[in-house]
Amino acid sequence: EFEYVYGANYFTNYTGYEGKPENPENPKDDFRYYTGIFLQNNAKYIFHPVSNVVCTVDDSMAETISKQFCPFNVRSGEIIGLNLTAKNTRYAIHDDFGQLYSIYNKHYFRNCTIKYEGTNEDNRDKCIGAGTGTNCDILIENCILTCDSNNSNHMVSYHNYDYMGVSNLVIRGCKIATGILITSHGPSVMKSTAHIYDNVIGGEIEEKFEDDPANWEVIAENNVITTA
């Protein structure tokens, strides 16, 4: 299906953003280099129970494609019942565009099963890689997030920035093969909240803050932490 959208030679000839200049005066401008299917703003996507979305990249092309390509890039809205397998992409789902579309602030993932296969050099291999955006309401509920047995990376990762507004992240009722990473890039007095509860997690909930004070409040309750 992805070759149908992009063309048979898209992945073979993929160059990503290599060699393109960054714009240090406007970090948002660099988002134009992310590739993959961008879901429509404020839309609800309900997948059929027997549907199965697969995006596998050959190991020979992984180093280039995994830098910026994701099967789905989320601006805002709801994804319900998605069954997705991704291999050698940046993430399975990239949810890092709320800061560009601040009037659309709902980001919901419900009843999804997502698997990430393979690994990449930049430590990005995960099911959901995301930023909180500006004043966003983010929910991951009743989802199963899995990976290869040799992948010890966090299957869910959310970061905040010092220039963003306050957002709210809730992760509940999920089964997550490895840990969860909550991180911040820069200090801020505007603290977003991560409420993580009633999950089964195969690793730790890690808080990794580059500056003090961190712009997160992390509340973890009633989670079952398991190890392989």
Side-chain angles (χ1 to χ4, degrees):
E1 291 184 3
F2 286 89
E3 285 193 352
Y4 175 81
V5 172
Y6 291 101
N9 296 322
Y10 176 82
F11 292 103
T12 303
N13 300 325
Y14 183 85
T15 58
Y17 74 122
E18 292 300 306
K20 298 178 182 177
E22 296 183 356
N23 185 355
E25 296 182 359
N26 184 9
K28 297 179 182 180
D29 193 41
D30 294 321
F31 282 94
R32 68 190 185 279
Y33 299 140
Y34 290 107
T35 54
I37 294 176
F38 280 77
L39 302 182
Q40 294 298 312
N41 276 325
N42 208 31
K44 179 184 287 188
Y45 292 85
I46 303 175
F47 289 80
H48 193 279
V50 299
S51 66
N52 189 29
V53 180
V54 178
C55 181
T56 59
V57 175
D58 188 84
D59 291 342
S60 64
M61 296 183 288
E63 182 178 354
T64 299
I65 292 178
S66 66
K67 294 182 183 300
Q68 298 298 98
F69 184 89
C70 298
F72 292 121
N73 297 276
V74 178
R75 293 184 172 102
S76 67
E78 299 182 56
I79 297 180
I80 302 172
L82 169 65
N83 293 309
L84 169 64
T85 299
K87 179 181 179 181
N88 290 333
T89 59
R90 182 182 176 93
Y91 314 123
I93 291 179
H94 195 186
D95 179 20
D96 197 10
F97 304 93
Q99 65 206 67
L100 305 182
Y101 307 95
S102 58
I103 61 173
Y104 304 108
N105 60 3
K106 182 169 64 176
H107 299 243
Y108 292 172
F109 304 91
R110 288 193 171 104
N111 304 321
C112 296
T113 299
I114 303 171
K115 182 177 182 180
Y116 187 96
E117 296 181 346
T119 58
N120 62 62
E121 295 180 356
D122 294 322
N123 201 34
R124 295 178 179 134
D125 39 345
K126 57 193 67 181
C127 292
I128 300 176
T132 56
T134 300
N135 303 320
C136 288
D137 182 19
I138 305 161
L139 172 66
I140 304 175
E141 182 178 46
N142 296 331
C143 292
I144 300 173
L145 308 178
T146 65
C147 60
D148 291 339
S149 59
N150 63 343
N151 188 341
S152 60
N153 201 3
H154 305 89
M155 284 301 102
V156 180
S157 175
Y158 272 84
H159 64 76
N160 209 339
Y161 284 117
D162 53 355
Y163 60 82
M164 292 181 180
V166 174
S167 294
N168 183 56
L169 166 67
V170 174
I171 303 175
R172 66 186 179 209
C174 296
K175 294 181 179 179
I176 301 172
T178 61
I180 297 171
L181 175 63
I182 304 295
T183 183
S184 64
H185 301 324
S188 176
V189 296
M190 299 182 295
K191 288 183 179 290
S192 292
T193 301
H195 195 176
I196 305 168
Y197 64 99
D198 294 342
N199 302 286
V200 178
I201 308 171
E204 298 298 323
I205 300 169
E206 182 180 354
E207 302 174 31
K208 186 177 181 181
F209 304 136
E210 295 181 1
D211 296 272
D212 188 29
N215 54 359
W216 278 102
E217 179 184 7
V218 180
I219 304 168
E221 300 175 311
N222 199 35
N223 297 293
V224 177
I225 307 298
T226 64
T227 56

